[in-house]
Amino acid sequence: MTWYKVPDIQYTKNPFIKKVKVNGKGICLVGYEGEIYALAAICPHAGGELSGGWCKDGKLICPIHRYAYDIHTGKGDPGQNDYVDTYPVEIREDGIYIGITSFLEKVRNAFK
């Protein structure tokens, strides 16, 4: 896993939702209850930008059809049968970092 600094975002405990680009990948950052979560930026159901949605009860809600994804696990609500990728987040002295595992690393780890 490689850690990438998120550009132009300062850590605060204020709630927010923002799409960022990290290592060429669109990621939706969610500030919720003083923590920061990183999820895939696109809803797998209809391709909506999740950063245009809102967060309620620990779930990121898609603005198109209101599909909901747990910000901790990425798992969709019951009956949706889908999920979004999640990424680990670290708050460091110099900023916010997101951990991304490359496709090759995922394949190697699958055969360990």
Side-chain angles (χ1 to χ4, degrees), residues 41-63:
I42 303 296
C43 177
H45 170 243
E49 288 281 347
L50 291 173
S51 62
W54 61 94
C55 193
K56 181 178 180 185
D57 300 325
K59 296 183 180 185
L60 182 57
I61 314 298
C62 177

Side-chain angles (χ1 to χ4, degrees), residues 80-109:
Q80 286 180 208
N81 298 319
D82 64 354
Y83 69 94
V84 293
D85 289 332
T86 60
Y87 304 91
V89 176
E90 283 188 1
I91 309 300
R92 300 180 185 174
E93 287 183 23
D94 65 334
I96 300 168
Y97 285 77
I98 296 176
I100 298 177
T101 302
S102 72
F103 177 75
L104 185 56
E105 287 174 303
K106 288 179 185 177
V107 171
R108 284 184 188 149
N109 290 337

Side-chain angles (χ1 to χ4, degrees), residues 6-9 16-21 27-31 37 39 41 50-52:
V6 177
D8 305 324
I9 300 272
F16 72 90
I17 299 175
K18 182 172 177 79
K19 182 178 179 180
V20 297
K21 275 263 197 216
I27 293 179
C28 184
L29 277 186
V30 179
Y37 302 89
L39 300 93
L50 291 173
S51 62

